[in-house]
Amino acid sequence: MRHVTPPILDSPPLDRRLATGLHKLGLALKHQTWSQASEQGLSPTQGQILAVLATDGALSATEVADRLGIGLPTVSEAVTTLADKRLVRRTPDTRHPRAKLLRLTAAGIRLSARTRAWPEFLTQAIGSLTHTEQATLLTALMKMIRALQVQGQIPVSRMCATCIHFRPYVHRGDAPHHCGFVDAPMAAAQLRLDCGDHAPAPQEQQHTTWARFANSA
Ligand code: SF4
């Protein structure tokens, strides 16, 4: 029987197709955020501010802007509305006498529990991947986030790659990394993208750590 060679598909390059896939995920996330926010009577920015205050505790407006990667005027405008709705209150910042910290009120805490669940639909989709696929995706995401941070496209996040405690590929076996904060080995699947114990490493250490991580991953 004669074999027929299938025609070569005229596909765009792999990096372009991956960018298209990520763009679709971004659109889905944006759509979900908009529809959930309007259900709660909030703008997406207001919902994100509630979520970050619920996760990280009291923060200054500048710290909120840095965490979300948006401008201070946008944060200030959203906080004014949140304060009018009695979801956020301003309290003295003991670190700076004339500055204020933003805190959730009791009503803000209740509402933030709902806004924090917004990315849940993505978590369910990620659950369709195997554990190995999830660990590979986590490493890939970390590399992409780092590249976007270096380009100045997104704010620096509190991920292992920029942490003073992170030592990549120093162990053999399934947990090759080391977290000096808890003094324990870490598997690829345990890498953190937003860690409360993160402490920024000096720039030179970040470069060295990143070179070792990226070249060995
Ligand atoms: S403290 Fe957190 S960010 Fe730093 S290495 Fe440990 S797990 Fe990673």
Side-chain angles (χ1 to χ4, degrees):
M1 189 175 149
R2 195 168 145 257
H3 286 281
V4 178
T5 307
I8 296 172
L9 290 173
D10 188 18
S11 298
L14 182 57
D15 55 356
R16 292 273 297 279
R17 280 177 282 147
L18 286 169
T20 302
L22 289 171
H23 181 61
K24 284 181 188 294
L25 286 176
L27 288 177
L29 188 56
K30 204 168 184 177
H31 173 75
Q32 185 81 1
T33 304
W34 272 108
S35 58
Q36 295 272 8
S38 56
E39 265 176 36
Q40 308 294 342
L42 300 172
S43 73
T45 303
Q46 291 163 10
Q48 285 179 315
I49 292 172
L50 291 187
V52 80
L53 291 177
T55 306
D56 296 348
L59 296 170
S60 68
T62 304
E63 288 168 330
V64 171
D66 287 346
R67 299 277 162 91
L68 296 178
I70 56 180
L72 189 55
T74 307
V75 171
S76 300
E77 189 181 329
V79 166
T80 298
T81 307
L82 290 170
D84 288 346
K85 293 180 176 185
R86 301 186 188 284
L87 297 170
V88 166
R89 63 193 170 96
R90 299 178 180 90
T91 58
D93 183 348
T94 51
R95 301 168 298 178
H96 308 286
R98 280 190 289 175
K100 297 285 182 197
L101 282 179
L102 306 173
R103 293 179 191 278
L104 294 178
T105 62
I109 291 170
R110 283 195 295 277
L111 192 53
S112 70
R114 273 173 259 161
T115 60
R116 285 166 83 184
W118 288 354
E120 191 57 31
F121 80 109
L122 273 187
T123 309
Q124 288 172 7
I126 291 165
S128 67
L129 305 179
T130 66
H131 182 75
T132 305
E133 287 170 337
Q134 289 182 12
T136 304
L137 179 60
L138 184 60
T139 301
L141 281 176
M142 193 171 267
K143 286 186 162 186
M144 286 190 63
I145 290 169
R146 165 80 180 173
L148 290 169
Q149 285 171 351
V150 169
Q151 289 172 26
Q153 304 279 358
I154 58 173
V156 173
S157 71
R158 301 177 300 172
M159 62 181 188
C160 290
T162 57
C163 179
I164 199 167
H165 304 297
F166 184 53
R167 287 193 279 136
Y169 294 100
V170 292
H171 301 294
R172 293 180 189 279
D174 294 340
H177 312 304
H178 194 89
C179 170
F181 185 80
V182 290
D183 196 19
M186 304 173 75
Q190 293 174 309
L191 292 171
R192 305 282 295 273
L193 292 176
D194 188 18
C195 173
D197 299 317
H198 176 276
Q203 280 300 318
E204 196 174 329
Q205 182 183 335
Q206 286 192 26
H207 286 309
T208 311
T209 300
W210 184 253
R212 186 180 179 103
F213 177 75
N215 294 332
S216 306

